Amino acid sequence: MIAYVEGTLLSREVGEVVIRAGGVGYLVHVHGGMEEKLPLSGEFVELHIFTVVREDALDLYGFLEQKERELFGTLLGISGIGPRMAMAILATCSLNMLTDIVASGDAKSLCIVPGIGLKTAKRLLLELATPLGKLTSTTVASAASPMGGGWADASAALQSLGFPKVRGDSVLAQLRKEGHPADVSELVRSALQRLRNDIP
């Protein structure tokens, strides 16, 4: 069972990297949230690995932090959540953000993850409560705004309009992932449109 790999980052593609370690090139699946944090090709990299063994394949999933690797394993233990869905969740929500979502019972914020509907989101809230409590050192950690500057100002503006911080930050994180410019007025306008569309 491979649990850790360090070496030279040979190549980066969407959703996967190749790491040379000990003369062997390891293909490792990574999620979109890690792309900005990974080094450039040719540089040193180290990843915590979760190995998924199937009848026809042995897949490696890599994470920058051990806690994220543990969270991935926890997600796989939930009925109906496979590696692809677990990686989509981690690409959308940081550990702290997911902890806040679960603590506040905000199922709608989980629905921004591609492939997750409200029914699945509510089940995730129930099944993640205990495991997340063990993974985090504090009971509830506040989810940080997606970035400083305009993103933080947009987060504060949405809160002043009555939207929960977790919901607002989740939508802002999605806008950032889509490459939305950090203009406060445009961010708030786009976020409000999505938040209001979520209201039954």
Side-chain angles (χ1 to χ4, degrees), residues 16-179:
E16 64 184 37
V17 298
V18 176
I19 301 173
R20 182 176 61 204
V24 178
Y26 294 90
L27 189 151
V28 182
H29 299 284
V30 296
H31 61 72
M34 292 172 55
E35 291 179 1
E36 296 180 359
K37 301 176 182 178
L38 288 170
L40 299 175
S41 296
E43 295 183 354
F44 175 82
V45 66
E46 54 184 340
L47 294 178
H48 298 276
I49 303 295
F50 192 101
T51 305
V52 176
V53 181
R54 299 180 298 177
E55 291 183 2
D56 58 346
L58 187 152
D59 293 322
L60 306 181
Y61 294 85
F63 309 94
L64 293 171
E65 298 180 7
Q66 175 64 19
K67 283 189 176 182
E68 193 174 35
R69 176 190 180 276
E70 294 175 11
L71 177 55
F72 179 76
T74 297
L75 290 168
L76 291 186
I78 298 175
S79 177
I81 303 297
R84 182 177 299 181
M85 180 64 71
M87 291 297 269
I89 292 172
L90 293 175
T92 307
C93 304
S94 66
L95 177 58
N96 283 349
M97 183 181 291
L98 193 57
T99 300
D100 261 6
I101 289 173
V102 172
S104 63
D106 187 8
K108 284 188 176 180
S109 288
L110 275 178
C111 293
I112 67 172
V113 178
I116 289 188
L118 191 57
K119 183 177 180 180
T120 300
K122 289 180 177 179
R123 181 162 57 84
L124 281 170
L125 292 183
L126 292 174
E127 299 202 36
L128 284 174
T130 299
L132 278 179
K134 295 178 180 178
L135 280 175
T136 52
S137 57
T138 55
T139 305
V140 178
S142 294
S145 296
M147 287 183 69
W151 298 92
D153 292 340
S155 175
L158 292 173
Q159 290 178 69
S160 71
L161 292 172
F163 292 97
K165 177 176 171 57
V166 173
R167 284 189 65 195
D169 282 358
S170 295
V171 171
L172 289 173
Q174 185 66 26
L175 289 172
R176 179 192 174 194
K177 184 178 178 181
E178 295 170 4

